[in-house]
Amino acid sequence: MLWLLALVPVLIGFYLLVLRRQRKYALRYASLVHVTDGSGHGPGFRRHVPAFLFLLGVTISIVALARPSATIMLPGLRGTVILSLDVSGSMRARDIKPTRMDAVKDAARSFVNAQPRGVRFGVVAFTAWASIVQAPTTDKGRVLAAIERLSPQMYTAIGSGLLTALSAIFPKLSGRTADTANAPLTPGPQDQEPPPVAPGSNTSAVIILLSDGQSNQGPDPLDAAEKAANLGIRVFTVGVGTREGANINLDGFTFHAILDEPTLRKIALITGGSYFKASSAEELLGIYQSLGTRLGLEKENTEITALFVAAAVGLFLVMGVLSIAWFNRLL
């Protein structure tokens, strides 16, 4: 479409030709000079302003037809956020009121509701295994319903939670065995894994992992974090619980659940993400709000045709007003 800009010099030449003919007409009817003298000083250069605005408007309109784009900062992540939630028995602990699980669900709902439209959310739940309870979607209602259905089970397999979250982002990667306790960390013979990239270089998707960090089943969480890093996926980890922990009675057995911060910190460090600690429901909500800010502004190449169209319309309107004013003055 930019080839149409060649019309602009043609229009300029046509305008100059009209001015030249007007001068010849004025010389032929020299007596009209007395009429113009009686009407006072003419607008001089100002009479060319409408024509200039018209040519500028045409130029901008042609550029708009070419659908220009620019890299700008846009609010909200235009990608995929996978919420990987720990639903192990330790999430029954009441060191965060009313329980760790309830606090996580409340904060997760608030986080989803606070994000702009266009963000795709997926939900992964992990206990002794991991599963995708909601595939990535922009339907917030389905995401919130999936979060509401979660309830504590048994054991904790953080590695499986990370691998399953990766399979939700990259469906073509091997994720079929990530739901088992001994899920492999390498793709099957029929799967093709992309070459490693720099950690955190993939800005189209992130994983938010919420857990107390006490992994006792499945693949090594740090090996799973390495795989996420090789795929460029950042993992933001949120430690749920207190250092003092709490006693939990489960099926007649009592055990003490504490927060394993070192593991969660290492996962975030390996993947280029960040670690947050939540010791109360209020802190957990604040962490989610902070994540919303971190994920909220991203550079994106966006079409800005509308801006050029608006500028062209504005110029044509001003040109019309000035033309009418000049015509009325001649009358």
Side-chain angles (χ1 to χ4, degrees):
M1 289 295 180
L2 291 178
W3 285 106
L4 293 175
L5 290 174
L7 293 175
V8 176
V10 175
L11 293 174
I12 294 175
F14 178 76
Y15 181 67
L16 294 176
L17 180 62
V18 170
L19 291 179
R20 185 176 180 182
R21 294 187 63 182
Q22 286 179 344
R23 292 193 190 98
K24 289 183 178 180
Y25 183 83
L27 291 174
R28 182 177 301 177
Y29 300 96
S31 59
L32 292 177
V33 174
H34 301 292
V35 177
T36 57
D37 289 341
S39 62
H41 295 289
F45 177 76
R46 288 178 296 172
R47 66 193 179 103
H48 301 298
V49 171
F52 171 76
L53 294 178
F54 174 77
L55 290 171
L56 185 58
V58 169
T59 302
I60 294 177
S61 298
I62 293 174
V63 175
L65 290 175
R67 301 179 64 180
S69 62
T71 300
I72 59 177
M73 298 296 290
L74 292 178
L77 178 67
R78 306 300 184 193
T80 302
V81 177
I82 303 297
L83 299 172
S84 188
L85 309 179
D86 187 344
V87 294
S88 62
S90 60
M91 298 300 285
R92 299 176 187 265
R94 297 181 179 275
D95 50 351
I96 295 182
K97 301 300 181 182
T99 66
R100 294 179 182 178
M101 188 77 257
D102 291 328
V104 165
K105 290 167 67 172
D106 288 342
R109 285 191 292 263
S110 298
F111 178 73
V112 171
N113 285 324
Q115 301 310 304
R117 299 173 64 180
V119 179
R120 298 171 69 242
F121 288 99
V123 181
V124 169
F126 64 91
T127 172
W129 59 89
S131 61
I132 301 173
V133 296
Q134 176 57 62
T137 177
T138 57
D139 188 340
K140 289 186 178 182
R142 295 171 60 184
V143 175
L144 296 174
I147 294 173
E148 188 62 33
R149 291 194 299 268
L150 300 179
S151 60
Q153 305 295 322
M154 292 285 290
Y155 304 109
T156 308
I158 294 179
S160 294
L162 286 176
L163 292 176
T164 303
L166 289 174
S167 70
I169 298 172
F170 304 101
K172 293 183 180 180
L173 292 181
S174 177
R176 61 191 182 283
T177 55
D179 294 349
T180 66
N182 298 312
L185 293 178
T186 56
Q190 75 275 23
D191 300 307
Q192 293 184 352
E193 190 168 356
V197 297
S201 59
N202 189 329
T203 59
S204 64
V206 296
I207 297 173
I208 301 178
L209 175 73
L210 291 100
S211 175
D212 55 21
Q214 291 184 294
S215 185
N216 49 34
Q217 292 284 317
D220 188 329
L222 301 185
D223 290 341
E226 289 285 355
K227 183 170 184 178
N230 290 337
L231 293 170
I233 299 298
R234 292 169 295 162
V235 179
F236 293 90
T237 56
V238 180
V240 184
T242 61
R243 291 187 178 92
E244 297 76 15
N247 290 325
I248 301 174
N249 191 308
L250 187 62
D251 296 333
F253 296 93
T254 300
F255 63 95
H256 191 72
I258 61 174
L259 174 61
D260 181 8
E261 289 188 282
T263 297
L264 297 176
R265 289 184 184 276
K266 289 178 182 177
I267 292 173
L269 179 63
I270 290 172
T271 62
S274 301
Y275 168 73
F276 301 90
K277 181 180 178 299
S279 299
S280 68
E282 291 76 15
E283 288 182 7
L284 189 55
L285 179 57
I287 287 172
Y288 269 107
Q289 292 171 342
S290 175
L291 282 172
T293 301
R294 285 171 174 263
L295 304 177
L297 292 176
E298 291 248 341
K299 289 184 178 180
E300 184 173 318
N301 190 270
T302 304
E303 186 176 322
I304 54 175
T305 301
L307 296 178
F308 281 78
V309 171
V313 171
L315 288 172
F316 287 138
L317 289 175
V318 174
M319 178 208 70
V321 171
L322 292 177
S323 297
I324 293 173
W326 170 233
F327 181 75
N328 290 336
R329 180 169 181 178
L330 289 178
L331 294 178

